[in-house]
Amino acid sequence: DDISILGSDGIELGRWVFPSLSTVAQPIDAISDYVAEWLTAEESAPTSSAATADIAFRPTLIVRNSTAKRKNK
C-alpha cells in the first residue's frame, strides 16, 4: 500500500505479472508511421529541416494493480 511501481513502453508482459504492472505506453504505430513518412520524404528530397523538427507523441497511461490511489494527508 505504500509503494507504487510504474513501467514504461506498455510491454504486454506487465499485464501478466502479479500485481499487474501499470505502465506508460508509447504510441509505437504513430511513431513508426511518422518515421516511415519522414524517411520516404528524405529519400525523394533530402533536407535538413525535418532532422531538427520538434515532434511530440502523446503516450497513454495504463493503470493496473501496481499503483495505488493517492493518499490524502
Side-chain angles (χ1 to χ4, degrees):
D1 291 339
D2 293 335
I3 297 175
S4 291
I5 298 174
L6 183 67
S8 63
D9 291 338
I11 61 171
E12 204 52 36
L13 180 61
R15 177 188 307 244
W16 304 110
V17 296
F18 181 80
S20 58
L21 183 63
S22 296
T23 187
V24 177
Q26 302 301 323
I28 300 300
D29 291 339
I31 294 170
S32 300
D33 290 346
Y34 178 82
V35 170
E37 288 178 25
W38 178 79
L39 288 172
T40 303
E42 277 293 302
E43 186 176 273
S44 62
T47 65
S48 61
S49 63
T52 60
D54 289 330
I55 306 300
F57 295 95
R58 185 176 300 257
T60 302
L61 176 62
I62 301 171
V63 178
R64 295 186 180 126
N65 296 18
S66 67
T67 50
K69 292 185 179 188
R70 183 178 176 185
K71 294 180 181 179
N72 292 328
K73 291 186 176 190

